[in-house]
Amino acid sequence: MSEKSRNPAQSWAAVRAPRPIVIFGGGSIVGDAHMPAYRMAGLPVTGVYDIDPAQTAKVAAEWDITAFSSIEEAAGVEGAIFDLALPPAAHVEVLKRLPDGAAVLMQKPMGRDLAEATAILEICRKKKLTAAVNFQLRFSPMMLAIHDLYESGALGELVDVEMHANMMTPWDLWPFVKTMDRVEILLHSIHYLDLIRHFLGNPAGVHARTMGHPLSTVAQTRTSAILDYPAPVRAVVSVNHNHDFGPKFQDCYFRFEGTKGVATTTLGVNLNYPKGVPDELWFSEKGGSWQQIPLSGTWFPHAFVGVMSNLQRFVAGDDAELVTSVEDAWNTMALVEAAYQSSASPATPIKEKP
């Protein structure tokens, strides 16, 4: 193995002079990922605002930060990075009330559908917001490492990308999803579609099917999707959130296979969420043996450091690219929209025997 294969990059460059962070939303993701990540990285959080005053007070007390009493009070923090850890339906209203020219990181998805994503994009453009979407899987140590391997040429030409998940997901942690018509692709597999775009660019189209489960009250919990890239690339996503038969045969992995090498990784947080199990990354050169690459962190919470650091560094002029900008994220939302349209369309019929 080359030096690059043994030691691929796994973290984003640190912020030199971090701006204060103001969080909108006090749901479980804030305590599970946002706050632990920012504390770990030394990124200062000024305070939090949630539409529920009791939740605002709870999060503020747990993390010893200010409990803001209104959107206006929270949005009034000078020079802040506004972190919108909100359900997708809430983004538009909060974005409209942020100061013009502000820097903002909004939780994925970028709205509930492509029309709402377009409205968000137009608001950000009109208000000249420096806006990114929290597609933080791109910034996880394992995916930064695989992307570094890919960029270095260690994988060769990327020809096969597969995401497979068979697990039990505790949807009850997010009560708002029970009232949503779109769930699995919009809130979960969107990460995988976005990541594939990050490596391969925009596909020409998608063949998809998403559905619920007899033992679930959530609209969709299972998805299959094939992304249409020019040959020789095959890219597929297969997700089942209803494998409620114990941990033995649960799995959640990505495989990136090229003409020179292959990398495969376990997304541990999805197995026994939110506690999770350790992420793993394995790499093999063609004709060689599998080698495990030690990871410096996990998807949750370490990836949340990366996506916030990129925004902070972009605002400061230290990063040339805002990796998950709203301009780029809109393309992921277009892919999500196409997947739902594909799922709602009839399959190619099989001819009947004459």
Side-chain angles (χ1 to χ4, degrees), residues 4-90:
K4 173 62 71 174
S5 300
R6 285 192 296 267
N7 297 294
Q10 297 186 31
S11 62
W12 205 257
V15 182
R16 289 183 299 143
R19 292 193 179 197
I21 298 168
V22 171
I23 297 177
F24 287 85
S28 63
I29 192 69
V30 172
D32 291 339
H34 290 248
M35 286 303 306
Y38 301 156
R39 285 287 165 87
M40 177 193 313
L43 298 172
V45 177
T46 298
V48 61
Y49 169 76
D50 190 275
I51 194 171
D52 179 357
Q55 191 63 21
T56 301
K58 178 177 180 290
V59 173
E62 286 176 353
W63 295 96
D64 192 25
I65 56 178
T66 300
F68 294 116
S69 60
S70 67
I71 293 178
E72 286 69 27
E73 185 183 8
V77 176
E78 192 73 24
I81 303 284
F82 298 106
D83 187 10
L84 276 54
L86 300 168

Side-chain angles (χ1 to χ4, degrees), residues 34-223:
H34 290 248
M35 286 303 306
Y38 301 156
R39 285 287 165 87
M40 177 193 313
L43 298 172
V45 177
T46 298
V48 61
Y49 169 76
D50 190 275
I51 194 171
D52 179 357
Q55 191 63 21
T56 301
K58 178 177 180 290
V59 173
E62 286 176 353
W63 295 96
D64 192 25
I65 56 178
T66 300
F68 294 116
S69 60
S70 67
I71 293 178
E72 286 69 27
E73 185 183 8
V77 176
E78 192 73 24
I81 303 284
F82 298 106
D83 187 10
L84 276 54
L86 300 168
H91 288 326
V92 167
E93 182 60 28
V94 174
L95 288 170
K96 287 179 178 178
R97 295 161 76 175
L98 295 181
D100 290 355
V104 55
L105 176 63
M106 69 191 81
Q107 186 55 267
K108 59 80 192 163
M110 187 178 164
R112 292 167 290 186
D113 52 33
L114 189 59
E116 204 161 83
T118 302
I120 288 171
L121 181 63
E122 290 173 349
I123 291 169
C124 292
R125 287 173 172 174
K126 181 179 180 181
K127 293 176 66 66
K128 295 181 169 55
L129 302 177
T130 301
V133 178
N134 204 336
F135 286 123
Q136 78 291 133
L137 181 57
R138 298 189 189 193
F139 293 87
S140 64
M142 56 185 165
M143 295 307 174
L144 287 175
I146 294 175
H147 199 265
D148 197 29
L149 289 171
Y150 178 46
E151 291 289 305
S152 75
L155 298 179
E157 181 185 1
L158 198 54
V159 295
D160 212 274
V161 178
E162 179 184 15
M163 192 287 150
H164 184 271
N166 191 48
M167 60 209 181
M168 188 63 197
T169 299
W171 291 102
D172 56 297
L173 291 178
W174 308 280
F176 68 90
V177 304
K178 291 186 178 181
T179 61
M180 294 181 66
D181 295 329
R182 294 180 170 186
V183 178
E184 203 291 314
I185 299 175
L186 183 68
L187 299 181
H188 185 87
S189 284
I190 188 172
H191 279 300
Y192 313 140
L193 299 177
D194 178 74
L195 187 73
I196 293 171
R197 279 194 56 250
H198 182 49
F199 277 82
L200 296 174
N202 294 326
V206 60
H207 310 274
R209 186 81 165 94
T210 188
M211 66 188 75
H213 187 276
L215 300 181
S216 176
T217 59
V218 178
Q220 305 97 29
T221 56
R222 295 175 293 162
T223 296

Side-chain angles (χ1 to χ4, degrees), residues 224-242:
S224 298
I226 303 172
L227 280 65
D228 186 12
Y229 287 101
V233 176
R234 185 186 77 107
V236 296
V237 173
S238 177
V239 177
N240 170 27
H241 292 273
N242 296 99

Side-chain angles (χ1 to χ4, degrees), residues 237-259:
V237 173
S238 177
V239 177
N240 170 27
H241 292 273
N242 296 99
H243 184 70
D244 195 14
F245 299 95
K248 184 174 178 60
F249 290 107
Q250 287 194 30
D251 58 35
C252 187
Y253 66 82
F254 247 107
R255 178 176 53 81
F256 294 85
E257 187 168 319
T259 54

Side-chain angles (χ1 to χ4, degrees), residues 269-302:
V269 71
N270 288 334
L271 304 174
N272 190 31
Y273 185 91
K275 183 178 179 181
V277 302
D279 293 339
E280 289 189 7
L281 173 58
W282 292 80
F283 172 75
S284 177
E285 296 172 324
K286 190 174 181 64
S289 59
W290 284 97
Q291 304 289 330
Q292 185 171 10
I293 299 175
L295 291 171
S296 61
T298 57
W299 180 4
F300 281 48
H302 292 79

